[in-house]
Short mmCIF file of all heavy atoms in Angstrom, two decimals:
data_model
loop_
_atom_site.label_atom_id
_atom_site.label_comp_id
_atom_site.label_asym_id
_atom_site.label_seq_id
_atom_site.Cartn_x
_atom_site.Cartn_y
_atom_site.Cartn_z
N ALA A 245 -81.92 8.54 -17.87
CA ALA A 245 -82.99 9.13 -18.59
C ALA A 245 -82.77 8.68 -20.06
O ALA A 245 -82.42 9.53 -20.96
CB ALA A 245 -83.00 10.73 -18.48
N PRO A 246 -82.92 7.42 -20.43
CA PRO A 246 -82.74 6.88 -21.66
C PRO A 246 -83.69 7.56 -22.72
O PRO A 246 -83.38 7.59 -23.97
CB PRO A 246 -83.15 5.44 -21.52
CG PRO A 246 -84.06 5.35 -20.35
CD PRO A 246 -83.56 6.51 -19.39
N GLU A 247 -84.76 8.36 -22.38
CA GLU A 247 -85.58 9.05 -23.21
C GLU A 247 -84.81 10.13 -23.89
O GLU A 247 -85.47 10.67 -24.85
CB GLU A 247 -86.87 9.44 -22.61
CG GLU A 247 -86.64 10.57 -21.56
CD GLU A 247 -86.49 10.05 -20.19
OE1 GLU A 247 -86.09 8.86 -19.95
OE2 GLU A 247 -86.63 10.90 -19.17
N VAL A 248 -83.68 10.59 -23.48
CA VAL A 248 -82.91 11.63 -24.09
C VAL A 248 -82.17 11.24 -25.41
O VAL A 248 -81.65 11.97 -26.08
CB VAL A 248 -82.00 12.46 -23.17
CG1 VAL A 248 -82.92 12.98 -22.01
CG2 VAL A 248 -80.93 11.59 -22.77
N ALA A 249 -82.03 9.92 -25.57
CA ALA A 249 -81.21 9.40 -26.66
C ALA A 249 -81.64 10.01 -27.96
O ALA A 249 -80.76 10.30 -28.78
CB ALA A 249 -81.28 7.91 -26.75
N PRO A 250 -83.00 9.95 -28.42
CA PRO A 250 -83.38 10.48 -29.60
C PRO A 250 -82.99 12.09 -29.78
O PRO A 250 -82.75 12.46 -30.85
CB PRO A 250 -84.98 10.42 -29.57
CG PRO A 250 -85.22 9.34 -28.65
CD PRO A 250 -84.13 9.44 -27.66
N VAL A 251 -82.99 12.86 -28.65
CA VAL A 251 -82.50 14.18 -28.62
C VAL A 251 -81.02 14.19 -29.13
O VAL A 251 -80.77 15.01 -30.01
CB VAL A 251 -82.74 14.90 -27.35
CG1 VAL A 251 -82.16 16.26 -27.40
CG2 VAL A 251 -84.25 14.97 -26.98
N LEU A 252 -80.28 13.40 -28.52
CA LEU A 252 -78.81 13.31 -28.74
C LEU A 252 -78.47 12.92 -30.25
O LEU A 252 -77.77 13.49 -31.01
CB LEU A 252 -77.98 12.50 -27.86
CG LEU A 252 -78.06 12.88 -26.41
CD1 LEU A 252 -77.38 11.89 -25.54
CD2 LEU A 252 -77.50 14.26 -26.28
N PHE A 253 -79.24 11.94 -30.80
CA PHE A 253 -79.23 11.49 -32.14
C PHE A 253 -79.59 12.71 -33.20
O PHE A 253 -79.03 12.86 -34.06
CB PHE A 253 -80.08 10.43 -32.51
CG PHE A 253 -79.57 9.06 -32.03
CD1 PHE A 253 -80.11 8.22 -31.14
CD2 PHE A 253 -78.39 8.53 -32.72
CE1 PHE A 253 -79.64 6.93 -30.77
CE2 PHE A 253 -77.84 7.27 -32.33
CZ PHE A 253 -78.41 6.52 -31.39
N GLU A 254 -80.72 13.40 -32.71
CA GLU A 254 -81.28 14.47 -33.62
C GLU A 254 -80.28 15.50 -33.71
O GLU A 254 -80.12 16.27 -34.86
CB GLU A 254 -82.46 15.11 -32.79
CG GLU A 254 -83.07 16.20 -33.57
CD GLU A 254 -84.24 16.76 -32.73
OE1 GLU A 254 -85.25 15.97 -32.50
OE2 GLU A 254 -84.24 18.00 -32.38
N VAL A 255 -79.34 15.78 -32.76
CA VAL A 255 -78.30 16.85 -32.93
C VAL A 255 -76.95 16.38 -33.53
O VAL A 255 -76.02 17.09 -33.57
CB VAL A 255 -78.06 17.61 -31.63
CG1 VAL A 255 -79.34 18.35 -31.18
CG2 VAL A 255 -77.48 16.61 -30.56
N GLY A 256 -76.96 15.01 -33.85
CA GLY A 256 -75.83 14.56 -34.50
C GLY A 256 -74.85 13.74 -33.73
O GLY A 256 -73.82 13.20 -34.22
N MET A 257 -75.30 13.39 -32.56
CA MET A 257 -74.44 12.52 -31.71
C MET A 257 -74.80 10.98 -31.87
O MET A 257 -75.75 10.44 -31.21
CB MET A 257 -74.62 12.87 -30.14
CG MET A 257 -74.08 14.25 -29.87
SD MET A 257 -74.21 14.62 -28.13
CE MET A 257 -73.61 16.37 -28.13
N HIS A 258 -74.23 10.41 -32.80
CA HIS A 258 -74.76 9.03 -33.28
C HIS A 258 -74.00 7.96 -32.62
O HIS A 258 -74.23 6.76 -32.88
CB HIS A 258 -74.79 8.94 -34.77
CG HIS A 258 -75.58 9.95 -35.49
ND1 HIS A 258 -75.11 10.89 -36.30
CD2 HIS A 258 -76.88 10.16 -35.37
CE1 HIS A 258 -76.14 11.57 -36.68
NE2 HIS A 258 -77.26 11.15 -36.16
N CYS A 259 -72.91 8.30 -31.79
CA CYS A 259 -72.10 7.23 -31.34
C CYS A 259 -72.31 7.16 -29.79
O CYS A 259 -71.38 6.95 -28.99
CB CYS A 259 -70.70 7.52 -31.62
SG CYS A 259 -70.15 9.22 -30.97
N LEU A 260 -73.62 7.04 -29.46
CA LEU A 260 -73.91 6.89 -27.97
C LEU A 260 -73.50 5.55 -27.37
O LEU A 260 -73.17 5.47 -26.19
CB LEU A 260 -75.45 7.05 -27.79
CG LEU A 260 -76.01 8.43 -28.20
CD1 LEU A 260 -77.57 8.42 -27.94
CD2 LEU A 260 -75.30 9.54 -27.55
N GLY A 261 -73.30 4.55 -28.18
CA GLY A 261 -72.82 3.32 -27.70
C GLY A 261 -71.37 3.14 -27.61
O GLY A 261 -70.86 2.16 -27.08
N CYS A 262 -70.62 3.99 -28.15
CA CYS A 262 -69.14 3.94 -28.14
C CYS A 262 -68.62 4.09 -26.80
O CYS A 262 -69.13 4.93 -25.97
CB CYS A 262 -68.64 5.08 -28.98
SG CYS A 262 -68.96 5.06 -30.74
N PRO A 263 -67.74 3.26 -26.35
CA PRO A 263 -67.16 3.27 -24.99
C PRO A 263 -66.58 4.61 -24.64
O PRO A 263 -66.89 5.18 -23.49
CB PRO A 263 -66.07 2.37 -24.96
CG PRO A 263 -66.41 1.38 -26.04
CD PRO A 263 -67.18 2.11 -27.05
N ALA A 264 -65.98 5.33 -25.57
CA ALA A 264 -65.38 6.74 -25.25
C ALA A 264 -66.51 7.69 -25.04
O ALA A 264 -66.32 8.49 -24.04
CB ALA A 264 -64.56 7.18 -26.45
N SER A 265 -67.62 7.62 -25.62
CA SER A 265 -68.65 8.66 -25.43
C SER A 265 -69.37 8.43 -23.99
O SER A 265 -69.93 9.38 -23.55
CB SER A 265 -69.74 8.52 -26.49
OG SER A 265 -70.53 7.39 -26.31
N GLN A 266 -69.26 7.23 -23.49
CA GLN A 266 -70.07 7.04 -22.23
C GLN A 266 -69.36 7.83 -21.13
O GLN A 266 -70.01 8.30 -20.09
CB GLN A 266 -69.92 5.53 -21.82
CG GLN A 266 -70.69 4.64 -22.90
CD GLN A 266 -72.06 5.06 -22.90
OE1 GLN A 266 -72.84 4.87 -21.95
NE2 GLN A 266 -72.58 5.37 -24.10
N MET A 267 -67.94 8.14 -21.17
CA MET A 267 -67.29 8.89 -20.28
C MET A 267 -67.21 10.36 -20.53
O MET A 267 -66.68 11.16 -19.78
CB MET A 267 -65.87 8.27 -19.93
CG MET A 267 -65.90 6.87 -19.60
SD MET A 267 -66.86 6.57 -17.94
CE MET A 267 -65.61 7.31 -16.84
N GLU A 268 -67.75 10.76 -21.72
CA GLU A 268 -67.55 12.02 -22.21
C GLU A 268 -68.63 12.89 -21.55
O GLU A 268 -69.82 12.47 -21.37
CB GLU A 268 -67.66 12.15 -23.61
CG GLU A 268 -67.28 13.37 -24.34
CD GLU A 268 -67.35 13.20 -25.88
OE1 GLU A 268 -68.28 12.53 -26.44
OE2 GLU A 268 -66.36 13.53 -26.52
N THR A 269 -68.41 14.25 -21.06
CA THR A 269 -69.45 15.07 -20.67
C THR A 269 -70.31 15.66 -21.68
O THR A 269 -69.85 15.65 -22.90
CB THR A 269 -68.95 16.16 -19.76
OG1 THR A 269 -68.15 17.07 -20.54
CG2 THR A 269 -68.11 15.73 -18.68
#
Side-chain angles (χ1 to χ4, degrees):
E247 67 271 18
V248 303
V251 173
L252 298 176
F253 278 119
E254 180 182 299
V255 298
M257 295 183 185
H258 300 120
C259 57
L260 299 180
C262 300
S265 74
Q266 299 299 299
M267 300 301 289
E268 197 171 44
T269 65

